[in-house]
Amino acid sequence: TRFPKSILLAGMRVALQDGDATEEEDKKRILASFEQGPGDQLENANRRLRSLFAKAAWPLALSLGIVADFDKKHPGTISLPEILHADKLRTQLSLSFAQMEEITPAAVRDLAMGFPETL
């Protein structure tokens, strides 16, 4: 099942701090929970969420030839390898390109360019 491209784009731009909650106090508590622990937990969560959408978008992007520039309406703003690379806490990755003719050495190179140092 493929997600609509618009959903994938929105997911790769998401910022949890811009979200809403039923009660403003709930939002404050949720955001405060990210302040506990080492590093910028909120940004780490944003990066992870964006990378999950990039991972989900990869087969579609590969079939359309838009892995490096996913948003044709706003060229240069969404690069799947850059989004994946920004997820500095990622330690594993699983993708399947079975039966895809578009998987070429250049496509594998693009994927490898997205690997964060932790992978």
Side-chain angles (χ1 to χ4, degrees):
T1 304
R2 288 190 173 174
F3 288 103
K5 189 176 173 193
S6 60
I7 300 281
L8 296 168
L9 281 167
M12 288 184 276
R13 288 193 170 100
V14 73
L16 294 171
Q17 63 271 23
D18 296 338
D20 292 322
T22 305
E23 301 291 328
E24 185 61 28
E25 193 58 35
D26 289 341
K27 180 178 178 177
K28 289 178 185 176
R29 269 190 246 119
I30 292 166
L31 292 177
S33 71
F34 284 105
E35 295 174 5
Q36 301 171 5
D40 189 345
Q41 297 298 313
L42 181 59
E43 188 53 33
N44 288 339
N46 281 330
R47 289 176 180 165
R48 174 55 52 96
L49 187 54
R50 291 175 196 137
S51 77
L52 290 172
F53 278 93
K55 180 182 162 190
W58 216 290
L60 173 63
L62 188 59
S63 70
L64 297 174
I66 57 172
V67 168
D69 195 5
F70 192 75
D71 188 355
K72 292 299 181 185
K73 289 183 182 176
H74 302 97
T77 61
I78 299 287
S79 165
L80 303 188
E82 288 177 11
I83 292 170
L84 185 63
H85 187 77
D87 186 1
K88 302 293 184 195
L89 300 180
R90 179 174 290 283
T91 58
Q92 56 183 318
L93 177 67
S94 176
L95 286 166
S96 175
F97 301 114
Q99 310 302 319
M100 290 192 72
E101 294 176 9
E102 298 87 355
I103 196 68
T104 64
V108 173
R109 183 200 66 231
D110 289 343
L111 177 61
M113 295 299 289
F115 290 174
E117 295 83 18
T118 54
L119 194 59

